[in-house]
């Protein structure tokens, strides 16, 4: 089993999953991805009001809403371990 680990991605799942797809094209298949650090699972503008993060990370909703709603699907099983700015 190959496990990939990524640090804070601040809701930019498309960028993370594109890296996983590029590895797959090189013959490296990731079986499990662990995202540890600030993730920012912001579903909508109302959620953004409660984000405890620097202003530059609160400029837009990023990619998470697409995955939360089912419009996009993760190419690999992903586990999230929240960072210091995540809600508890």
């Amino acid at each position: 089993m190959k496990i990939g680990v990524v640090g804070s991605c601040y809701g930019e799942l498309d960028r993370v999953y594109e890296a996983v797809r590029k590895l797959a094209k090189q013959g490296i298949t990731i079986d499990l991805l662990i995202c540890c650090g600030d993730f920012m699972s912001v579903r909508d503008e109302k959620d953004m009001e409660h984000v405890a993060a620097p202003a530059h990370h609160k400029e837009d909703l990023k990619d998470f809403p697409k995955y939360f709603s089912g419009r996009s699907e993760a190419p690999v099983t992903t586990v999230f371990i929240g960072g210091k700015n995540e809600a508890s």
Side-chain angles (χ1 to χ4, degrees):
M1 173 180 261
K2 291 187 179 154
I3 300 172
V5 179
V6 63
S8 300
C9 69
Y10 302 105
E12 295 186 42
L13 285 172
D14 289 344
R15 183 175 54 89
V16 171
Y17 291 141
E18 182 58 31
V20 170
R21 288 182 186 96
K22 282 182 182 179
L23 287 171
K25 287 179 183 177
Q26 297 172 15
I28 303 168
T29 302
I30 302 297
D31 301 301
L32 174 70
L33 180 65
I34 300 173
C35 289
C36 49
D38 292 336
F39 172 63
M40 290 189 57
S41 55
V42 179
R43 301 167 293 181
D44 54 35
E45 293 295 334
K46 187 172 180 177
D47 280 355
M48 190 65 83
E49 296 171 11
H50 304 284
V51 172
H56 65 277
H57 290 301
K58 297 169 68 171
E59 294 170 353
D60 64 51
L61 297 176
K62 308 291 185 198
D63 307 320
F64 180 74
K66 295 188 307 187
Y67 293 90
F68 181 77
S69 69
R71 289 181 288 143
S72 291
E73 188 172 318
V76 61
T77 299
T78 309
V79 176
F80 298 95
I81 301 170
K84 67 179 181 177
N85 291 311
E86 303 292 344
S88 55

